[in-house]
Every structure is written in structure tokens, then in C-alpha cells.
Amino acid sequence: MEDTFNTRVVLQAYPPKDVHTTACFTIDRSQPVPDANALQLGQVLVKTEALSIDPHHRLYIDAPGESGPGEEFRYPLGQPIFGIGVGTVVASRSDSYSIGDWVRGDELPWQAYTVISDQALTKLPKTTSAPLLDHIGVLGMPAFTAYLGIVTVGRPKRGETLLVSAASGAVGQIAVQLGKVNGLRVVGVAGSDDKVEHIKHLGADAVINYKACEDYARAINQAAPEGIDIYFDNVGGEFLDAALLNLNRHARVVICGSISTYAADKSKIAGVKNLDTTIVKEVTLQSIYYQPHLGTLVEADFLEEMAQMVACGQIEFKTDERIGLESAPQALVDLFTGRNFGKLIVRL
């Protein structure tokens, strides 16, 4: 290892509601790289290669007392926040890992080097066909989440109509393409002209620029006059409420994310008002979360099918890579202000 200090992104303060700022983070270089000789049995030293920047990070830095995930999920002050990342084993006292192994961790701190239990890691295959960063992208959480939503909750039938919000994002872009693979008519939603064009490039039959329309419900109806059979919701809020007005009988709503409300002051936003319209239509609303499905046959099916679809050109994946750990706070701000384009990854 050439590094002598362990660069860390430390959470120093909880940001106010409705505020996206880098000021709550500091870059710390006061600590040395952990000593490989001090590892305990079952521990490994991982050099972080890349971090996944995801909406839940903002949810978990809400101040105590705010409506949010609860104290058990809130990131503590004075420490790096953590999330999904990939890295290389540089020292090991584990029978399961050797120096040079590629690994993924779901709770890797935002720092350059981490001493971590071998039980908190997943060993990744080292192949030329699947680069390391694919395991936080097209073969990782975003694509797996889209797969769970479309295949297990959406239960697509050829000829049906799929609506995907945040369709140019990490999960949305895969949901769009899985919809086309399954023979669906796909309507995507995005917030800029370049994102709209990219979603069309991915195969969407129609795309709504939500920033250019005054009435979400009417825009959905114009893009899908036949109604919506599957709604893949990544945003929550007003757009979810508008989508509910356009559902067909026996429609399936996949509740994947609510990025429009994660950092919002809940006392100032309108709740969902149109749930009553779903009753007589016998609509199914189901949330999805990837973590309970890790290590299952469903994940094995996903990895096999997704690798095949990528290899034959049915699936492509756009990333927005930022370079250097120091760029992570700004990347998180950009995620919530729409200044990213594709899956946000910080490459160290």
C-alpha cells in the first residue's frame, strides 16, 4: 500500500429539511491507514475502489426528532457515513478471503481503507466480462431492485403498459429496459431534455418531461391513454398521486423509492390523496427492498439473466462517475438536485 493516511468523509452535522448541502461533511486525513498486522481473526483490510451514491444516504442524515428512519438507522455524527461499495482485499486473517480478492460490502464506510469482518462482505468473481464496478451497477443493487420490481411484483404480461418514474436513474433505466424485454409498452418520466432523449434511446415508447408539464395526471393520460398496468414508482409524492388516477383494473404499483420526499419537511407536503381510486380496481401496491433477497434463488436468477442480457446487448447501463473520495458529498447533493445523469458512482 502506498497511502500513509486514511482519507475519510465525516458527517459533522445533520442538514436542515429541504436543504441539500456539502457543508455537513468534512474531509479528514488525520488517521493512518489501518495496520494489517493488527487484524483480528476473521477480519480483512479492504481498499475501497468505488462507492455507490444512493437516495437512502439523505434519508439517514435527518436530524434526531425528524420523521425518518429512526435512531437505529441514523448515521452518527463524527464518523463516516456508509453504504454499498466495492473494493480489493489488501490484507486478510480470514480463511474466506485472500489478498487481491474483489469484494462488495453493503455497509462500507466512506473512507479509503476499512477493517471489516469477513461476514460483512460478499466475494465477487474476477472476470473480464464483468468489471468490478458492474457489481454496484448493472449486476448490483440498482439492477437487482429493478428486476425484483418488474419480475416479482409487476408480473408483466406482453402488451401491457408500464410507467416508470425517474426513468434515467440507476433503477429506472433498468426498469425501462426490462419492460421492453418483457414485451411491454413503456412510458418513462424524467426532468430534462437530454434525459428524455436517453430514455427514448433505451426503447421507451413515450417519455414525459415532468418539469415541462403543469398537470401530471393529464400528461400521463396523454402518454398512455390505454391506462397503466404497472407503475414503477421511484419518486413518491405528487407524481405517485397522479399515477393512481391512471391505473387500470388489477394494476400493480411497485413502491421502490420516494426521492421527492426523503429530505422534505413532511408537515409542508401534501399526502397521497387518490388511494380511494384503487379500491374498486383491485390494485396491488407493494414495496420492494433488495437486501432480504440477497443470497436467494431470485438473486441467482437475476445474476444469470442480467449477465446474458448485457452480453447480447439487450441491456445497457449509464453511469455518472465522479473521481476521488472528496467528490462524494457533492455527488449526494447532485443526486437530489437533478444534476446527475445515470447511476452515481464515486471512484476512488
Side-chain angles (χ1 to χ4, degrees):
M1 292 179 293
E2 298 178 359
D3 298 323
T4 57
F5 54 81
N6 191 16
T7 303
R8 306 187 306 153
V9 178
V10 175
L11 180 66
Q12 294 286 33
Y14 296 116
K17 285 291 188 183
D18 296 319
V19 174
H20 305 292
T21 177
T22 62
C24 56
F25 295 99
T26 59
I27 306 300
D28 175 74
R29 297 185 177 90
S30 65
Q31 298 186 4
V33 172
D35 183 0
N37 295 319
L39 292 177
Q40 302 295 310
L41 191 65
Q43 289 184 328
V44 298
L45 177 58
V46 174
K47 181 181 187 295
T48 305
E49 304 289 354
L51 294 168
S52 175
I53 307 299
D54 298 306
H56 72 264
H57 290 131
R58 182 60 180 82
L59 186 64
Y60 296 165
I61 59 176
D62 275 346
E66 301 281 3
S67 59
E71 292 295 334
E72 67 273 24
F73 296 113
R74 185 170 288 110
Y75 296 126
L77 296 180
Q79 299 292 328
I81 71 172
F82 50 83
I84 300 170
V86 290
T88 304
V89 174
V90 294
S92 175
R93 285 201 62 196
S94 166
D95 293 336
S96 302
Y97 293 93
S98 302
I99 293 175
D101 282 348
W102 284 356
V103 294
R104 185 191 72 227
D106 286 344
E107 295 186 353
L108 273 187
W110 283 16
Q111 59 190 41
Y113 292 89
T114 299
V115 174
I116 192 168
S117 166
D118 57 7
Q119 298 299 305
L121 297 171
T122 299
K123 184 182 292 187
L124 302 172
K126 295 185 76 170
T127 64
T128 55
S129 61
L132 179 58
L133 267 63
D134 279 3
H135 295 279
I136 51 175
V138 74
L139 296 177
M141 178 275 290
F144 188 30
T145 299
Y147 180 91
L148 287 169
I150 296 295
V151 175
T152 67
V153 178
R155 304 184 305 279
K157 303 177 185 67
R158 185 170 293 275
E160 289 186 323
T161 297
L162 165 69
L163 175 67
V164 182
S165 56
S168 68
V171 176
Q173 61 180 302
I174 297 294
V176 166
Q177 293 173 88
L178 287 177
K180 295 308 298 180
V181 168
N182 282 276
L184 305 181
R185 182 176 187 273
V186 177
V187 179
V189 184
S192 68
D193 291 342
D194 56 346
K195 292 177 181 179
V196 165
E197 290 305 312
H198 183 65
I199 298 165
K200 291 179 180 177
H201 164 75
L202 295 178
D205 300 279
V207 185
I208 299 168
N209 184 339
Y210 74 91
K211 291 183 179 179
C213 62
E214 297 180 358
D215 186 327
Y216 293 157
R218 179 178 298 176
I220 295 169
N221 176 261
Q222 290 174 344
E226 72 281 5
I228 303 300
D229 300 293
I230 306 170
Y231 174 43
F232 199 110
D233 180 36
N234 290 303
V235 299
E238 293 181 36
F239 201 88
L240 168 61
D241 213 28
L244 295 178
L245 294 175
N246 286 276
L247 298 179
N248 289 330
R249 184 172 177 79
H250 296 145
R252 288 81 71 199
V253 178
V254 181
I255 306 296
C256 176
S258 187
I259 196 169
S260 71
T261 65
Y262 284 158
D265 182 343
K266 299 297 192 294
S267 68
K268 297 179 180 178
I269 60 175
V272 175
K273 303 173 184 177
N274 295 321
L275 276 175
D276 56 342
T277 66
T278 68
I279 297 171
V280 296
K281 294 180 179 179
E282 297 183 291
V283 170
T284 298
L285 292 91
Q286 183 175 335
S287 63
I288 52 168
Y289 183 48
Y290 80 101
Q291 209 160 41
H293 303 276
L294 294 176
T296 66
L297 290 176
V298 175
E299 186 189 24
D301 289 343
F302 154 74
L303 289 171
E304 180 180 358
E305 293 174 26
M306 186 60 63
Q308 291 175 351
M309 287 187 284
V310 171
C312 70
Q314 287 182 296
I315 296 289
E316 60 181 78
F317 192 71
K318 184 175 179 61
T319 61
D320 184 339
E321 291 188 17
R322 311 297 172 87
I323 303 301
L325 184 57
E326 298 84 354
S327 69
Q330 186 61 55
L332 182 59
V333 170
D334 290 351
L335 179 64
F336 279 85
T337 54
R339 292 198 293 268
N340 68 300
F341 192 171
K343 167 62 188 162
L344 262 173
I345 293 172
V346 169
R347 184 194 290 264
L348 276 67

